[in-house]
Amino acid sequence: MEERKKQVLNAIIKDYIANAEPVGSRAVSKKYDLGVSPATIRNEMSDLEEEGYIEQPHTSAGRIPSAKGYRYYVDNMMQREPLTSAQRHQVREIMSGEFSELDSFMRSCCNMISRLTNYTSIAAVPEQGRGNLLNLQLVSINEYQVLVILLASTGIVRHKLFELPLPINAEELARIEQKLRQYLVGAELKNISYDMLRERLYDFQRQDKLAEQAFDLLEQTLTGETAHKIFTGGIMNMLSQPEFQDIEKLRSMMSIIEDDPQVEKLLQTSDSDQLTVTIGGEMPVEGAQDCSMVVANYFVNGEKAGSLGVLGPTRLNYSRTVSLMEFIAGELSRTMSDKDKKSQE
Amino acid sequence: MEERKKQVLNAIIKDYIANAEPVGSRAVSKKYDLGVSPATIRNEMSDLEEEGYIEQPHTSAGRIPSAKGYRYYVDNMMQREPLTSAQRHQVREIMSGEFSELDSFMRSCCNMISRLTNYTSIAAVPEQGRGNLLNLQLVSINEYQVLVILLASTGIVRHKLFELPLPINAEELARIEQKLRQYLVGAELKNISYDMLRERLYDFQRQDKLAEQAFDLLEQTLTGETAHKIFTGGIMNMLSQPEFQDIEKLRSMMSIIEDDPQVEKLLQTSDSDQLTVTIGGEMPVEGAQDCSMVVANYFVNGEKAGSLGVLGPTRLNYSRTVSLMEFIAGELSRTMSDKDKKSQE
DNA sequence: GATAGCACTCTCCCTCGTCGAGTGCTAATA
DNA sequence: TATTAGCACTCGACGAGGGAGAGTGCTATC
């Protein structure tokens, strides 16, 4: 694309992102001095429209960027907005806080992202933990109920209460616990699949009826649930966006944000360490076509551990949002990797 | 209040709840046959307005109920709407489901309430568990990190990761664990206050430096956090209410619903087993004056265990909502008490 | 190729007039 | 005395009409 046309497109997008109103040729020529008159701009705009980068809500209105326009901007022209020190500070503050509970930590991350971006934030964390199985405890509550507590090397704890079909006494339980520890402690959590369980516990399982129960029980706790835990924040920020003054649009977005599986689907983009920017029609969920999002993955020791995203109108401030999300995901990866290393010591 | 005036007020409230539009004298006389002409109704309405039970948005509009009118209706005239068997069924279905995780159970309760009422639901569960301390475990992650796991008789588990200022080895940890168990297992969780800890552990605490650490640690885990965990559901239902088509009103409600402490404040009504109906200006939170709510407490073995509420416009369907919430809170109390008894066996 | 000029188009906003719903008052009625 | 019918009045909703303003596309000119 010729340089001047690029500049015109850039001006239109920037202005529209800032003001949410169609941009006219006069405004472009005045505010962003390209050294040419409005008439010239008009010709360029006419071309840009023909090529599908911008569109006109109606004759005698200015132009607004199309999804294709935003895409071109993000891919070829966008420059990352430098972060202020206040922004960096806010992120680091959250990161340096305590977090023995992953849940509440992710929640405050989401709130921080919403505060910084003024958009709705979403995040997904796999239910299945990372790290190795550090310890495993079976606690008898009564003879029909057993509490299984799993401790990962990351300091994350999971627990589940099980109802047994047959009663069990303390000695038997201790014996099973012993055996399970022997076979499973040290294994990587993500490797504890059905097959792996079967392999390691094959002999044990044959041994007696109760062991078989324990087998079923572990299988349920450890495998199966590959679902992600979903967090959202700053839903209210949607309300301040002029594009969502229309209640119907708002409702269609809200129903997606409130529905965990849909949000999970949104966050399933790439597994790379690059941000993913998804614009308008590219959104993978029905009814989110008026939105864009910026999704970043975070990594613990080089391995993908979860996703963070920001959801807003297609008129998203891509430049700022990308900078912020890149920084936040980086800090989060660093913080969680540190923590992980520390707990492995 | 004279019988006929009551009937007129009743008709106005019912009609307004159903249609969200000012009710005229003609409509009252026609739809709710009181056997008198519109002119007579008009006189009654004029009286009701003078006494503050209804108001007029403007001359030549019908009347709408005032907060005082709703209050009178709820206190003196309202009849509980009988539940359908489908509604009962839905509630019982959720109740009979598994719930080893209190969190996800409460979440699905909230969703159910929203589905049944078509309003936004809110719930609060005290972080501090009910029941007795059944077991306590200290798990060493590395020499500076200890995971404290608390198991309540209700099957609810809490855990917290602690960073120690001094390293600790396995034997010492085991010794402390032993002591703590000895002193604390069996105690009622809600009684484990700072004072109680001090009393029981006084000698122990003096014993050595590490025990003192353990003391601090337990104090943090067990006391202090009297905060409630807040759940919400069906936020989207707000959008379908005609009174919240105005984005500003919507925003003021949303900002309250998104803010846990505010929701907690809303739910702090009475501790009795009666429902609390709060209407318009009675709402304890700034900015919620256009709303009403119905709050029910649920009880485990006769003791208050948490609160459930429904949040909607003042034009709330009190009759149906009260019936539903009464039923749901009752079922929830029953289910959780059963579970509690079962785990005590 | 860039620009100035100009007619044209379309939205926004204001005003005006009509319509209809609903009221309050008054006089008549049971 | 309570109820009702009749009637003038008020006010918001709605649609038509018109001016203002923003922005365009086209054409002729530099």
Side-chain angles (χ1 to χ4, degrees):
Chain A
M1 196 187 289
E2 308 97 82
E3 191 50 38
R4 198 175 59 193
K5 216 143 91 182
K6 264 193 183 179
Q7 288 181 333
V8 172
L9 179 57
N10 195 22
I12 291 174
I13 290 181
K14 283 206 171 143
D15 202 85
Y16 189 67
I17 285 177
N19 306 314
E21 260 161 39
V23 190
S25 55
R26 205 178 126 79
V28 171
S29 128
K30 244 187 158 177
K31 284 199 235 172
Y32 309 80
D33 45 16
L34 311 185
V36 289
S37 77
T40 311
I41 305 284
R42 277 208 284 286
N43 290 327
E44 301 283 16
M45 282 162 90
S46 182
D47 287 1
L48 282 167
E49 184 169 13
E50 222 164 80
E51 293 160 40
Y53 294 106
I54 56 178
E55 44 203 30
Q56 228 174 347
H58 56 84
T59 358
S60 92
R63 307 303 214 291
I64 62 177
S66 67
K68 184 176 173 188
Y70 285 123
R71 171 51 63 202
Y72 187 85
Y73 165 76
V74 168
D75 290 344
N76 304 297
M77 289 151 44
M78 185 183 73
Q79 297 189 346
R80 279 155 176 66
E81 185 180 307
L83 301 184
T84 66
S85 64
Q87 287 170 328
R88 284 169 200 276
H89 184 74
Q90 270 198 63
V91 175
R92 295 222 171 93
E93 182 144 341
I94 294 284
M95 294 297 167
S96 63
E98 296 227 348
F99 67 103
S100 60
E101 297 273 355
L102 187 60
D103 266 39
S104 60
F105 179 66
M106 289 308 290
R107 228 180 293 282
S108 51
C109 272
C110 275
N111 288 336
M112 172 196 69
I113 295 175
S114 297
R115 240 191 349 266
L116 287 173
T117 59
N118 285 318
Y119 298 117
T120 298
S121 60
I122 55 184
V125 182
E127 285 270 18
Q128 191 155 325
R130 291 163 307 91
N132 302 319
L133 185 63
L134 195 69
N135 204 345
L136 169 161
Q137 309 224 355
L138 305 184
V139 179
S140 164
I141 289 174
N142 57 45
E143 59 180 1
Y144 282 100
Q145 290 185 305
V146 173
L147 182 76
V148 182
I149 302 174
L150 301 175
L151 173 60
S153 58
T154 48
I156 303 301
V157 177
R158 291 192 59 207
H159 53 80
K160 194 155 186 173
L161 190 68
F162 282 94
E163 311 268 345
L164 303 177
L166 300 170
I168 190 168
N169 64 36
E171 292 85 60
E172 284 174 309
L173 198 67
R175 194 173 54 80
I176 294 175
E177 187 183 56
Q178 191 62 27
K179 267 281 202 265
L180 289 177
R181 278 204 194 136
Q182 183 184 327
Y183 283 116
L184 294 176
V185 165
E188 276 190 62
L189 281 183
K190 70 175 165 44
N191 287 339
I192 302 184
S193 64
Y194 184 85
D195 289 340
M196 186 271 207
L197 274 178
R198 209 161 48 190
E199 187 188 316
R200 291 213 187 180
L201 295 176
Y202 186 72
D203 299 334
F204 180 44
Q205 184 194 355
R206 305 230 111 193
Q207 229 168 296
D208 61 40
K209 203 74 195 156
L210 271 168
E212 199 164 336
Q213 278 190 12
F215 180 85
D216 283 354
L217 180 157
L218 263 179
E219 191 200 320
Q220 283 179 58
T221 315
L222 291 166
T223 67
E225 296 185 45
T226 49
H228 290 240
K229 189 142 195 177
I230 301 296
F231 301 86
T232 59
I235 297 183
M236 216 193 96
N237 286 336
M238 280 286 175
L239 299 184
S240 11
Q241 298 299 337
E243 23 273 289
F244 293 108
Q245 298 307 89
D246 176 13
I247 293 271
E248 268 321 305
K249 278 192 182 174
L250 189 62
R251 192 202 306 252
S252 92
M253 273 319 296
M254 285 298 209
S255 66
I256 291 171
I257 296 170
E258 265 207 339
D259 188 21
D260 283 1
Q262 301 250 55
V263 175
E264 190 177 347
K265 200 169 168 191
L266 284 179
L267 286 166
Q268 277 165 4
T269 50
S270 83
D271 287 350
S272 85
D273 60 350
Q274 296 296 304
L275 301 200
T276 313
V277 179
T278 311
I279 299 169
E282 303 164 9
M283 296 288 277
V285 160
E286 195 64 38
Q289 266 70 34
D290 293 324
C291 285
S292 285
M293 63 178 183
V294 176
V295 174
N297 296 318
Y298 62 92
F299 296 80
V300 178
N301 298 329
E303 206 174 302
K304 180 180 169 184
S307 312
L308 302 170
V310 156
L311 207 55
T314 46
R315 187 184 59 79
L316 194 79
N317 189 329
Y318 297 96
S319 162
R320 184 182 342 159
T321 308
V322 165
S323 295
L324 269 166
M325 291 305 287
E326 217 161 49
F327 180 67
I328 291 171
E331 288 293 302
L332 187 58
S333 297
R334 209 165 53 75
T335 308
M336 293 191 68
S337 297
D338 278 5
K339 192 161 177 67
D340 196 54
K341 276 189 198 111
K342 210 170 141 197
S343 69
Q344 301 254 354
E345 274 165 14
Chain B
M1 198 186 286
E2 306 98 85
E3 191 49 38
R4 198 176 57 195
K5 216 141 96 184
K6 263 192 182 177
Q7 288 181 333
V8 171
L9 180 56
N10 196 23
I12 292 173
I13 289 179
K14 283 205 172 143
D15 201 86
Y16 189 66
I17 284 176
N19 306 314
E21 260 161 38
V23 191
S25 55
R26 206 178 126 80
V28 172
S29 129
K30 245 186 157 177
K31 284 199 235 170
Y32 310 81
D33 44 16
L34 312 186
V36 291
S37 78
T40 311
I41 305 283
R42 276 206 286 284
N43 290 327
E44 301 282 17
M45 283 162 91
S46 181
D47 287 0
L48 282 168
E49 185 169 13
E50 222 165 79
E51 292 158 40
Y53 293 106
I54 57 179
E55 44 202 30
Q56 228 174 347
H58 56 85
T59 359
S60 94
R63 306 304 214 288
I64 62 176
S66 66
K68 184 178 172 186
Y70 285 123
R71 172 50 64 200
Y72 186 86
Y73 165 77
V74 169
D75 290 344
N76 304 295
M77 289 150 44
M78 185 183 71
Q79 298 189 345
R80 277 156 176 67
E81 184 179 309
L83 301 182
T84 67
S85 64
Q87 287 169 327
R88 283 168 200 277
H89 184 73
Q90 271 199 62
V91 176
R92 295 222 172 90
E93 183 144 340
I94 294 284
M95 294 296 165
S96 64
E98 296 226 350
F99 65 104
S100 59
E101 297 273 354
L102 186 59
D103 265 39
S104 60
F105 179 66
M106 287 307 291
R107 230 180 292 282
S108 52
C109 271
C110 275
N111 288 337
M112 172 196 69
I113 294 176
S114 297
R115 242 190 348 268
L116 288 173
T117 59
N118 285 317
Y119 297 117
T120 298
S121 61
I122 55 184
V125 181
E127 283 272 18
Q128 190 155 327
R130 290 165 307 91
N132 304 317
L133 186 63
L134 196 68
N135 204 344
L136 170 161
Q137 308 222 359
L138 305 184
V139 180
S140 163
I141 289 175
N142 57 44
E143 58 179 2
Y144 282 99
Q145 290 185 306
V146 172
L147 182 76
V148 182
I149 302 175
L150 302 176
L151 173 60
S153 57
T154 49
I156 303 302
V157 178
R158 291 190 62 206
H159 53 78
K160 194 154 185 174
L161 190 68
F162 282 94
E163 310 269 345
L164 303 177
L166 300 170
I168 191 169
N169 65 36
E171 292 86 60
E172 283 174 310
L173 197 67
R175 194 172 55 78
I176 293 174
E177 186 183 57
Q178 190 64 26
K179 267 281 202 261
L180 289 177
R181 277 202 193 136
Q182 184 183 324
Y183 283 116
L184 294 176
V185 164
E188 276 191 61
L189 281 182
K190 70 174 164 48
N191 288 338
I192 303 184
S193 62
Y194 184 83
D195 290 340
M196 186 270 208
L197 274 177
R198 207 157 51 184
E199 188 189 317
R200 290 211 186 182
L201 295 176
Y202 186 73
D203 299 334
F204 180 44
Q205 184 193 355
R206 307 229 110 194
Q207 232 169 293
D208 60 40
K209 203 75 195 155
L210 272 168
E212 199 165 339
Q213 279 190 14
F215 180 85
D216 284 352
L217 182 157
L218 264 179
E219 192 201 317
Q220 284 179 58
T221 316
L222 292 166
T223 67
E225 295 187 46
T226 49
H228 290 239
K229 191 143 192 178
I230 301 297
F231 302 87
T232 59
I235 296 184
M236 218 193 95
N237 286 336
M238 280 287 175
L239 299 184
S240 7
Q241 297 300 337
E243 22 275 287
F244 293 107
Q245 298 307 90
D246 174 13
I247 293 269
E248 269 320 305
K249 279 192 182 175
L250 188 63
R251 191 203 306 250
S252 93
M253 274 319 296
M254 285 298 209
S255 66
I256 291 170
I257 296 169
E258 265 207 339
D259 186 21
D260 284 0
Q262 302 250 53
V263 175
E264 190 178 347
K265 200 168 166 191
L266 284 178
L267 286 166
Q268 276 165 5
T269 50
S270 81
D271 287 351
S272 84
D273 60 350
Q274 296 295 305
L275 301 199
T276 311
V277 179
T278 310
I279 300 168
E282 302 164 9
M283 297 287 276
V285 161
E286 196 63 37
Q289 266 68 34
D290 293 324
C291 284
S292 286
M293 64 177 181
V294 175
V295 175
N297 296 316
Y298 63 91
F299 296 80
V300 179
N301 298 329
E303 205 175 305
K304 180 178 170 184
S307 312
L308 302 170
V310 155
L311 208 53
T314 46
R315 189 184 58 78
L316 194 79
N317 188 331
Y318 297 96
S319 162
R320 183 184 340 158
T321 308
V322 165
S323 296
L324 269 165
M325 290 305 287
E326 218 161 49
F327 181 68
I328 291 171
E331 287 294 303
L332 187 58
S333 296
R334 210 165 54 73
T335 308
M336 292 192 68
S337 298
D338 278 5
K339 192 161 178 68
D340 195 54
K341 277 191 197 109
K342 211 170 142 198
S343 68
Q344 300 256 353
E345 272 165 17

